[in-house]
Amino acid sequence: MLDEEEEREAMFYKLETLGFKVGQGLVERFSRDRARMVETLDVIKFICKDLWMIVFRKQIDNLKTNHRGVYVLTDNSFRPFSRMSTETGGAAVMRAQPFLWFPCGIVRGALANLGVDANVQAETAELPSAIFKIETIPRST
């Protein structure tokens, strides 16, 4: 059982790291002609509108913040989940969870390249929706 958990963690790390590199590259390419974004909220809005459109061909459906560095992005029809089976019970949701690891990396890589250090977590309670929670890490001065 422990080996299976270690294998799952290793897969998570690889997928998230790949996503991180992709996120960095996308931001480098698509934010080149834009004015520098200074405020964290402007960076998050760029992720919700522009980056999400590039990656998933739609914008985030909802953005919430507590104005203390926590942002919650909700996508009610997350494209990678659109063709997944939605059988009753939690099995479908559990099988969908690994499909969130790569997008978490994309978001974290994009944020990092735009100067925002953050932890990104994602979950789904009901397919095809996905919720991404971004917690910014204050820079020590």
Side-chain angles (χ1 to χ4, degrees), residues 11 15 32 36 43 61 75 81-82 99 101 111 122:
M11 184 174 63
L15 285 170
R32 181 174 35 202
R36 182 165 162 73
V43 172
D61 295 312
D75 189 337
F81 293 167
S82 64
F99 288 86
W101 297 340
L111 289 168

Side-chain angles (χ1 to χ4, degrees), residues 16 20 44 69 107-108 111-112 116-120 134-137:
E16 205 270 347
F20 184 87
I44 299 292
V107 172
R108 197 172 65 81
L111 289 168
V116 177
D117 291 327
N119 292 323
V120 180
I134 300 170
E135 294 183 48
T136 59
I137 301 168

Side-chain angles (χ1 to χ4, degrees), residues 27-45:
V27 163
E28 220 168 273
R29 181 167 181 195
F30 291 105
S31 69
R32 181 174 35 202
D33 300 328
R34 297 175 62 97
R36 182 165 162 73
M37 293 171 263
V38 179
E39 296 295 320
T40 302
L41 185 57
D42 293 332
V43 172
I44 299 292
K45 287 179 181 176

